[in-house]
Amino acid sequence: MCPRYFRSSLLSLCWLVLAQSAAQPAQTGQSNENQSTLTVRANTRLVVVDVVATDNKGEPVTGLKPGDFIVQEDGTEQEVQVFSFHQPGSEPPAATGPFAAPGRLPRGVYTNVPQYRTGGALNVLLVDALNSNFVDQAAARDAMLKFLEKLPAGEPVAIYLLGNKLTLIQDFTSDPEMLKKAIAGLKQPKSRAMTNAADSMVTAQLPMGSAAAETVGSMPGLLRGLAEFRDQQSAAQADVRVSITLDALNALARSLAGYPGRKNLIWVSETIPITIAVGRTRANSNRDYSAAVERTENLLSNAQVAIYTVDSRAIAGSTQFNVAGDPNPISAPQSEKQTLRGEAGAVASIESDDRVSTRSTMNDLAEKTGGRAFYNTNNLEGAVRKSIEDGSTYYTLGYYPANKNWDGKFRRITVKTERPGVKLHYRQGYFAIEPQSYAKLDASQKSSDLAQALSLSFPVSTALRFQAAISPPSAETKNKVLVNYAVDPRQISFELQSDGLQHASIDCAVIIYSQKGEALQTLSNTMNGSLKPEEYQRVMERSFPCRQTFDLGPGEYLLRLGVRDTRTGLIGTLDAPLTIPTQAAGTESK
């Protein structure tokens, strides 16, 4: 039996059967052998560019019209077909239909559709404890508290903490008291991937004690061995931090994608563990991360996320002249290190390279996503404030590229205006990735993406909107838990194939967790839809269905439910509590 709510307002599996739709469930990874491989695709995509316009004093410029902008892609002018203006206090656009923000839902029905709506930009404060030491974390927290004391009215802010995993500390709100309470309650976790997370990233080259320093100084081979070990340790830790950081940014992009409009990501960090050079992106281990970083940048751009990087180190001298920053304070005095195999010079070189690398990467990430980079300032509060002010008033331009060759290469976007005295900044471009290219990715990568999205270590994803109705075991469900999914069809990639049918494929998955967060069971299946024109029209007016049933004994559980478009890789997840009383399990029909 299907829940009444789904019969009345959303398309359920029951409706699909009654309509004699060709949607057939299949195991993940399997395909229909009779399905034709000839397809007709709408080979286009809308490119969205958020543009911040300011005058010579840095104040936002309002009143610009579509004709005031000239948009070019790789030097070729594009026709602007989407235009809108946004500023703080703007009324959010009217939302209608089953996948609008629903408010209160019927019992047993859950959704990942974002509840918070605004007509302006959203702001996300990312406190980076993974790549920052204790001292800089404390400085960043104090700066945020000062900023929140004077938070402009109507500015929605969410707070995330990047530690050994990404954690949502406070969801979107414009209430300064709630935000201050969240920041004040932040614990300062020690980064497991930094050599000296207490204060400095510089590692001691010598054992503790001046006698040991003298001994090592007389044995060049041992000194070189210690230096090589230090470098290998640093490289391994950098790889760990790169992996966690990119996973966190990917998860943020998926979590924010369902919110309409621009999202300003204010990333407060001591360092970014990636070096972006011409044609190559690497970590300190020299491992090439170009493909991974490009994918992350693409996810962020598609989610309309602009990165504002804030260097939490402020203005500071070398750590070797700061006793609090010496990772080995009772070893040889600084004066001795000045002459011992040139350690002072080596430390200065390491710190200089790290700062140059970090600032180069900060600039690159900000420019490519349409944000700004802030460093060399002791006014961290001001940097956070300027980040939010800069991205709060903007224009959204959209165009369909004239070049339909999706070759994966980077395409540079240029936006100009003939209005005198107006300065524009926006994201530099995008990677021309075919929208349906996700299906061609390595199976292990796709499996990893879904597993990450279904993990409680990451926030829920809103990139693919859906609702789920959960029915506990009963005689009507044959003593099984029944989950009916309803996916927003407007976000699904349909293909018109040579059989005249519209084809789509959606993965549905669930991980069942205990109240302690222990994964107990994982289930997944794929719904392949082959729809006639009239069926396709009805689906587009309602939803695309998927269904799961499974056995579950009495107890309290948390379900992380997920859906994924197998062609585009768009993912949506939600959390749903489920309580099965003792009498419900094994209930027989009377």
Side-chain angles (χ1 to χ4, degrees), residues 27-28 447-456 483 485 507-514 517-525 548-552 557-562 564:
Q27 295 300 314
T28 302
S447 177
S448 175
D449 288 345
L450 189 57
Q452 182 188 101
L454 291 172
S455 170
L456 296 183
V483 181
Y485 298 79
D507 289 330
C508 301
V510 58
I511 295 183
I512 303 165
Y513 291 93
S514 68
E518 177 186 3
L520 304 176
Q521 190 176 354
T522 302
L523 300 165
S524 67
N525 61 282
Q548 286 179 323
T549 59
F550 48 89
D551 295 310
L552 204 57
Y557 306 93
L558 179 65
L559 309 185
R560 172 62 69 94
L561 303 168
R564 175 176 62 181

Side-chain angles (χ1 to χ4, degrees), residues 247-566:
D247 283 347
L249 291 177
N250 292 344
L252 263 177
R254 294 191 182 104
S255 181
L256 298 173
Y259 292 86
R262 180 185 178 96
K263 278 74 70 173
N264 301 315
L265 175 59
I266 298 96
W267 184 2
V268 184
S269 179
E270 174 189 338
T271 185
I272 297 177
I274 307 169
T275 299
I276 298 179
V278 178
R280 192 156 187 251
T281 305
R282 62 178 178 82
N284 292 339
S285 62
N286 282 324
R287 181 178 298 177
D288 192 355
Y289 283 93
S290 299
V293 170
E294 288 176 5
R295 185 164 178 262
T296 297
E297 289 178 344
N298 205 54
L299 284 172
L300 291 168
S301 294
N302 289 342
Q304 283 184 264
V305 175
I307 297 180
Y308 289 80
T309 51
V310 178
D311 188 345
S312 60
R313 286 179 290 192
I315 300 176
S318 174
T319 57
Q320 58 188 326
F321 302 114
N322 177 7
V323 67
D326 191 344
N328 194 1
I330 64 173
S331 68
Q334 294 293 348
S335 59
E336 185 175 342
K337 292 182 181 181
Q338 294 283 345
T339 59
L340 187 59
R341 297 294 187 269
E343 182 177 350
V347 169
S349 178
I350 291 172
E351 291 186 350
S352 176
D353 289 347
D354 177 65
R355 284 183 180 268
V356 171
S357 170
T358 295
R359 291 169 184 174
S360 174
T361 302
M362 284 181 167
N363 285 329
D364 186 89
L365 290 174
E367 290 172 359
K368 283 188 175 178
T369 59
R372 291 188 183 278
F374 296 89
Y375 45 80
N376 264 348
T377 176
N378 287 329
N379 188 5
L380 297 182
E381 172 198 353
V384 173
R385 185 180 306 280
K386 288 179 181 178
S387 298
I388 291 181
E389 290 175 351
D390 179 80
S392 63
T393 302
Y394 66 98
Y395 297 85
T396 295
L397 311 179
Y399 67 92
Y400 294 96
N403 183 1
K404 302 295 192 276
N405 179 26
W406 307 112
D407 54 10
K409 295 181 180 179
F410 186 79
R411 295 183 182 177
R412 186 166 295 277
I413 296 174
T414 304
V415 183
K416 302 177 182 178
T417 181
E418 296 180 352
R419 284 283 193 98
V422 177
K423 299 179 181 180
L424 308 178
H425 79 263
Y426 45 87
R427 64 182 174 116
Q428 290 182 338
Y430 69 99
F431 291 96
I433 299 174
E434 182 184 4
Q436 290 83 17
S437 64
Y438 185 83
K440 303 175 185 177
L441 286 182
D442 181 80
S444 61
Q445 176 65 62
K446 292 188 287 187
S447 177
S448 175
D449 288 345
L450 189 57
Q452 182 188 101
L454 291 172
S455 170
L456 296 183
S457 296
F458 295 93
V460 297
S461 302
T462 64
L464 184 56
R465 296 185 293 268
F466 75 105
Q467 294 188 2
I470 303 175
S471 301
S474 66
E476 293 179 338
T477 65
K478 298 182 180 179
N479 296 325
K480 295 180 180 293
V481 176
L482 170 64
V483 181
N484 275 310
Y485 298 79
V487 185
D488 187 348
R490 293 168 296 181
Q491 293 187 286
I492 297 175
S493 173
F494 284 90
E495 291 183 350
L496 178 61
Q497 298 188 357
S498 58
D499 57 7
L501 304 179
Q502 292 280 358
H503 292 258
S505 180
I506 297 293
D507 289 330
C508 301
V510 58
I511 295 183
I512 303 165
Y513 291 93
S514 68
Q515 287 297 299
K516 295 181 179 180
E518 177 186 3
L520 304 176
Q521 190 176 354
T522 302
L523 300 165
S524 67
N525 61 282
T526 301
M527 180 65 72
N528 295 316
S530 305
L531 307 178
K532 298 176 182 178
E534 62 275 13
E535 295 166 351
Y536 171 72
Q537 184 61 36
R538 294 175 71 177
V539 166
M540 293 303 293
E541 293 173 354
R542 302 184 184 183
S543 68
F544 188 93
C546 191
R547 186 186 202 185
Q548 286 179 323
T549 59
F550 48 89
D551 295 310
L552 204 57
E556 295 186 357
Y557 306 93
L558 179 65
L559 309 185
R560 172 62 69 94
L561 303 168
V563 294
R564 175 176 62 181
D565 187 328
T566 63

Side-chain angles (χ1 to χ4, degrees), residues 33 82 91 93 103 127 132 174 238 250 279 332 345 347 364 404 443 485 498 590:
E33 296 179 358
V82 174
E91 286 294 323
V127 183
S132 303
S174 55
N250 292 344
V347 169
D364 186 89
K404 302 295 192 276
Y485 298 79
S498 58
K590 297 181 180 180

